[in-house]
Amino acid sequence: MNNDPRLLDEGDLQLVHALQIGPRLPWTALGEILDQHPTSLAARWRRLERSGSAWITAHPLGHPDQMALSFHDVRCQPGHRQQVAEAIGRIPEVFSVEECHRDRDFMLTVISPEPTQLTEIVYPQLEGIPHLSGYESTFCTRLHRTAANWELDALSPTQRRALRAAAGPPPAPEAHPGPPPPSFGPILRVLGRDGRASAAQVAEATGLHPATARRRLQRVLDSGTLSFRCDVSHRATGYPVMCQWFARLPAADHDAAAAELAGLGALRLCASTTGRSNFMFMMWHRSPTDIMALERRVSERLPRLEIRETVIISNIPKRAGWHLDTDGRRQEDFVEVGHWD
């Protein structure tokens, strides 16, 4: 038995898993499926949020057919990691910042409505950061899996089916929706901070009339332009080791490889990219020994996949706009993801 106080208990894990499936399900629906009183579940969730162990956020999908999604390797001068990380984290288009210790100091994920914003907005900000010595960019050509697709293993199959039925299918995004309309901006900021925000909370935060807030919130929810996800501290859920792989794989094999990887572990990211490697994936692990075991299984099941580089992520200073501590717990600092109005 692990007595680490940083780990979530079974009730916490079950609630987080339920909210990974249905981030905006009412407490009454969650209570019925989890066989717990709705008030107790709401109180448990407030405790998890206050501790920074789990939270629900919403952000633009970032799919390449909707907006520009890119990855950037950043190098900085020795002794200036923290200063550079803090400056990068203040850039709204920077969705996440991951710290590592090989050929790059940080790996960035950037989301912007248009590719031109990289040249016009993001690159000038990177180049203006003192002690940042260089960066290289690759572009996502297909996003196979994200953190929103990964779930804990805390609920029974029956509970999972009931939750999926209650949540219903996500809205189908338009083929070429472009950036969200300006009227969405204030609501996107509210949902970025709290993906479960109600119409009343949106009205209070934005100053909109309650009826207008309710109508616009529903339009946002129905638009298919946002991804809602229940995020969680990696250490609190027992996954202290984070690793990312860069690989080469024939383009025709990418979809099947992503599906195979999803069954091998806590897959948090899988994408096809431009660059020297054309396929990347990131997983959480319970111990460093899991890395070798995973690579062995990958070599057996995906013999055409050539791993070019394995990178250990030592810290995630920023994820989906939120600044995190070294355990992956959410801090109070939030940077809106992108400029959407």
Side-chain angles (χ1 to χ4, degrees):
M1 179 177 178
N2 195 325
N3 294 318
D4 188 339
R6 294 174 296 184
L7 295 176
L8 302 183
D9 65 27
E10 190 61 30
D12 293 337
L13 293 174
Q14 289 179 353
L15 178 55
V16 169
H17 190 173
L19 289 170
Q20 287 176 326
I21 297 172
R24 288 186 59 86
L25 278 176
W27 294 120
T28 50
L30 291 165
E32 181 177 351
I33 295 169
L34 299 181
D35 194 24
Q36 295 188 43
H37 196 282
T39 303
S40 299
L41 287 178
R44 182 183 289 270
W45 178 245
R46 285 193 296 272
R47 176 176 57 78
L48 288 170
E49 278 194 305
R50 284 196 299 268
S51 69
S53 298
W55 62 98
I56 293 174
T57 188
H59 56 80
L61 281 172
H63 284 289
D65 58 348
Q66 294 180 300
M67 54 193 65
L69 176 63
S70 54
F71 306 104
H72 309 263
D73 293 340
V74 172
R75 300 178 300 278
C76 65
Q77 296 170 1
H80 297 281
R81 278 178 176 264
Q82 183 174 352
Q83 179 182 349
V84 171
E86 290 174 354
I88 293 174
R90 290 192 289 269
I91 300 175
E93 287 76 15
V94 174
F95 182 77
S96 69
V97 181
E98 296 162 343
E99 186 175 358
C100 45
H101 296 271
R102 281 188 61 81
D103 295 335
R104 78 278 288 166
D105 296 293
F106 300 101
M107 298 184 294
L108 315 182
T109 301
V110 173
I111 297 177
S112 56
E114 301 289 343
T116 55
Q117 283 203 354
L118 280 174
T119 302
E120 297 170 354
I121 298 176
V122 179
Y123 288 156
Q125 291 185 79
L126 289 176
E127 291 162 4
I129 295 175
H131 310 296
L132 191 154
S133 57
Y135 58 86
E136 294 183 9
S137 302
T138 60
F139 292 85
C140 178
T141 56
R142 186 172 177 82
L143 188 61
H144 302 281
R145 294 288 192 280
T146 71
N149 303 123
W150 174 69
E151 298 174 12
L152 292 167
D153 187 20
L155 298 174
S156 70
T158 300
Q159 289 172 316
R160 297 182 199 190
R161 287 192 294 270
L163 286 162
R164 291 193 175 94
E174 300 175 21
H176 301 285
S183 62
F184 281 19
I187 297 177
L188 295 185
R189 285 192 285 274
V190 175
L191 294 175
R193 288 183 172 274
D194 179 6
R196 286 184 63 86
S198 65
Q201 290 170 317
V202 168
E204 182 179 357
T206 61
L208 293 171
H209 186 278
T212 302
R214 187 179 307 107
R215 184 174 61 255
R216 289 188 182 178
L217 174 61
Q218 195 60 50
R219 283 185 59 205
V220 170
L221 298 177
D222 292 340
S223 70
T225 61
L226 294 183
S227 174
F228 288 83
R229 75 192 217 191
C230 180
D231 244 324
V232 65
S233 157
H234 60 276
R235 190 173 294 279
T237 47
Y239 290 93
V241 179
M242 301 170 287
C243 189
Q244 184 158 315
W245 287 267
F246 297 88
R248 291 289 302 181
L249 184 68
D253 295 349
H254 285 208
D255 287 345
E260 186 72 33
L261 289 168
L264 295 181
L267 183 65
R268 300 279 299 182
L269 173 68
C270 185
S272 301
T273 68
T274 61
R276 290 185 294 272
S277 60
N278 68 350
F279 190 77
M280 59 184 284
F281 58 100
M282 191 264 277
M283 290 186 176
W284 286 359
H285 299 282
R286 297 194 182 278
S287 75
T289 59
D290 292 341
I291 296 174
M292 178 61 73
L294 184 281
E295 291 184 353
R296 183 170 60 250
R297 284 185 291 167
V298 167
S299 67
E300 293 169 353
R301 301 190 187 189
L302 300 170
R304 281 152 58 98
L305 186 144
E306 176 193 353
I307 294 178
R308 296 286 183 88
E309 188 178 10
T310 303
V311 178
I312 298 294
I313 298 169
S314 60
N315 186 30
I316 304 181
K318 181 183 181 183
R319 185 199 302 154
W322 287 101
H323 292 279
L324 309 182
D325 68 12
T326 54
D327 285 339
R329 285 187 167 85
R330 184 185 71 171
Q331 304 299 287
E332 291 302 315
D333 298 330
F334 177 75
V335 178
E336 177 193 348
V337 180
H339 300 286
W340 311 107
D341 56 357

